[in-house]
Amino acid sequence: MARRVPVQTRIGFTILAWAIALLLFSPILWTIVTAFKTEAEAIASPPTFLPQTFTLENFGAVQDRSDYIKHATNSIIVSFGSTLLGLLIAIPAAWSMAFAPTKRTKDILMWMLSTKMMPAVGVLIPIYLIFRDLRLLDTLHGLTLIMTLINLPIIIWMLYTYFKEIPVDILEAARMDGAELWNEITHVLVPMAVPGIASTLLLNVILAWNEAFWTITLTSGRSGTLTAFISSFSSPQGLFLAKLSAASLLAIAPILLLGWFSQKQLVRGLTFGAVK
């Protein structure tokens, strides 16, 4: 029987949750309102919250200075391409670790996770030299490759966690029915783990979309993503806050919409196997 929670406690936790949510959302909200201000009003002191002069000229100036469509297309190709490539590698890897473990499986998982603890700048020089020699600098396939590599440990870890919650008996029954390994993975395992795979895909698309260090370092103009698009509005001449906010809003709008419409699937996948 579930414990009854007093009404005052529920109200208190609700207010606390809304306060934390508003605190976390406040930088995005400030970016949104600043994008519709003039440059003079954006740097005014004391600052004003709502625009005194509502304007859309910042968005026109942003598009005139940089090709938003091209950068957005590059971001879509890199984020979804790297995630799909990572899933193709991670699903068999997670299957082997979850259903055919060895005494070294946990060590391998910890080693993969430890690679995320290294600062990216620590491997910048060798990665840059390798990309230069292989002519992968400022290319979409090179950027997709590096995004796959840096997010692969997270993809494998998440899928491994989901696969561990699937009963082994179901896979053994499929083998007894004559299913080969490929059919076992594609027709039995993957359909059962769709919520986990979907949440893994969404989370890693967001991570790849927001990646700034490698996209700025390994690209220039031809293959730049939206993070490079935003950074172009920080110049030695100064910060143009209104235009920078407009560029940031254009960059985060697609991923915000994706997260908003897929939040139920994302939450369901992230809590997959958490409650038994």
Side-chain angles (χ1 to χ4, degrees):
M1 183 176 179
R3 179 185 298 179
R4 296 188 60 183
V5 181
V7 176
Q8 296 85 349
T9 303
R10 284 186 291 173
I11 294 175
F13 277 114
T14 301
I15 294 174
L16 179 62
W18 273 102
I20 294 174
L22 289 174
L23 180 63
L24 294 175
F25 185 70
S26 57
I28 299 176
L29 180 60
W30 188 262
T31 299
I32 293 173
V33 296
T34 304
F36 297 98
K37 296 178 179 179
T38 62
E39 286 293 348
E41 189 177 354
I43 62 174
S45 183
T48 57
F49 178 68
L50 294 176
Q52 301 298 317
T53 303
F54 188 88
T55 179
L56 295 175
E57 65 178 10
N58 296 317
F59 296 94
V62 164
Q63 178 60 27
D64 291 340
R65 177 171 172 177
S66 301
D67 190 347
Y68 170 77
I69 300 300
K70 184 187 78 171
H71 289 86
T73 302
N74 290 343
S75 287
I76 293 172
I77 293 173
V78 171
S79 57
F80 281 92
S82 63
T83 302
L84 293 176
L85 180 59
L87 285 174
L88 289 176
I89 300 171
I91 289 176
W95 173 90
S96 66
M97 294 179 180
F99 301 111
T102 67
K103 63 179 181 179
R104 298 294 183 187
T105 295
K106 291 186 177 180
D107 295 334
I108 294 173
L109 285 168
M110 290 305 299
W111 171 76
M112 287 191 299
L113 191 61
S114 68
T115 60
K116 298 297 296 180
M117 303 176 188
M118 176 183 294
V121 70
V123 292
L124 171 60
I125 294 178
I127 291 293
Y128 187 88
L129 294 177
I130 291 172
F131 270 54
R132 183 198 64 184
D133 294 341
L134 296 178
R135 297 182 179 179
L136 293 176
L137 289 176
D138 200 19
T139 61
L140 287 177
H141 54 278
L143 202 55
T144 301
L145 177 62
I146 194 67
M147 290 294 131
T148 302
L149 294 176
I150 64 177
N151 289 330
L152 189 59
I154 298 177
I155 300 176
I156 293 177
W157 257 98
M158 291 183 68
L159 292 180
Y160 169 78
T161 303
Y162 302 135
F163 290 173
K164 287 289 288 183
E165 299 299 326
I166 296 176
V168 182
D169 297 341
I170 297 177
L171 300 182
E172 291 179 349
R175 293 175 200 147
M176 293 179 64
D177 289 339
E180 297 181 354
L181 178 59
W182 175 251
N183 292 327
E184 177 186 328
I185 294 176
T186 56
H187 293 96
V188 180
L189 179 65
V190 171
M192 294 184 64
V194 164
I197 294 174
S199 65
T200 302
L201 185 147
L202 291 171
L203 181 61
N204 283 275
V205 164
I206 293 172
L207 291 175
W209 187 280
N210 293 330
E211 174 61 39
F213 180 81
W214 292 111
T215 56
I216 295 174
T217 304
L218 299 179
T219 64
S220 53
R222 184 175 57 184
S223 302
T225 62
L226 286 173
T227 50
F229 171 76
I230 295 173
S231 67
S232 67
F233 288 88
S234 176
S235 64
Q237 287 76 24
L239 279 174
F240 299 95
L241 293 181
K243 294 180 178 60
L244 182 60
S245 297
S248 300
L249 180 56
L250 289 172
I252 65 176
I255 209 68
L256 281 177
L257 292 175
L258 176 65
W260 177 265
F261 287 111
S262 60
Q263 57 181 319
K264 290 184 179 180
Q265 185 68 35
L266 185 59
V267 171
R268 181 186 176 192
L270 291 175
T271 57
F272 184 72
V275 180
K276 298 184 180 179

